[in-house]
Amino acid sequence: MSKVLVVDDQLGVRRLLYETFREDQHEVEMAGNGKEALQILEDFSPDLILMDMKMPGMNGIDTLRQIRSFNKEVGVIMMTAYGDAQNMEQARDLGVLYYMSKPFDLFEMRDRVREILSGKIEASSNA
């Protein structure tokens, strides 16, 4: 069973992804913002993080920078409703494996997660 951390400021998105990946037999934790995600990461070592790019306070890039300071290996899928090229480039430099545009297709999200967790997409891949 793999561990997945869902980081999104929208409760509906968090719940949807939580339920989906619990149903797929993963251990799932949720965070509503970057600060909460960093607190959860003190005790929870996910195999994959699904993170929103735009969140109040610490955005996805800032949160990922903090995560990379102590974990360079964890896979990350960045979710965004905004195709900001500069943020996407920064995220790519920080090792994001894949981008999902919001609203995302849940079946495509499941496929990407399955590919990453099965090792078909390596951490060196770019989105």
Side-chain angles (χ1 to χ4, degrees):
M1 172 168 41
S2 297
K3 295 180 177 183
V4 177
L5 174 61
V6 176
V7 186
D8 198 300
D9 59 319
Q10 295 178 351
L11 178 60
V13 172
R14 285 195 313 269
R15 294 296 308 173
L16 172 67
L17 293 173
Y18 177 86
E19 295 297 333
T20 297
F21 293 111
R22 291 282 300 179
E23 195 175 281
D24 289 348
Q25 307 302 309
H26 299 297
E27 185 177 340
V28 184
E29 291 286 337
M30 298 185 296
N33 56 53
K35 184 177 178 184
E36 192 178 323
L38 292 171
Q39 291 171 338
I40 289 170
L41 288 169
E42 291 177 12
D43 299 316
F44 184 73
S45 298
D47 301 295
L48 181 63
I49 299 173
L50 309 177
M51 185 159 34
D52 191 14
M53 178 85 75
K54 299 277 188 189
M55 297 180 287
M58 194 183 318
N59 68 25
I61 297 295
D62 294 336
T63 304
L64 185 52
R65 251 190 217 107
Q66 293 275 335
I67 292 168
R68 290 299 186 224
S69 72
F70 61 87
N71 186 332
K72 305 233 186 282
E73 302 302 315
V74 66
V76 177
I77 292 177
M78 192 69 75
M79 302 176 290
T80 183
Y82 311 94
D84 181 347
Q86 181 181 359
N87 280 338
M88 292 173 83
E89 184 64 33
Q90 289 176 347
R92 186 175 293 118
D93 291 345
L94 290 167
V96 167
L97 297 176
Y98 198 80
Y99 292 96
M100 296 293 295
S101 294
K102 284 177 153 183
F104 52 81
D105 179 298
L106 189 56
F107 294 106
E108 183 181 354
M109 176 68 84
R110 271 184 147 152
D111 287 346
R112 294 302 150 261
V113 168
R114 196 173 300 118
E115 288 172 1
I116 291 168
L117 293 175
S118 71
K120 290 180 184 169
I121 296 179
E122 297 294 323
S124 61
S125 298
N126 279 330

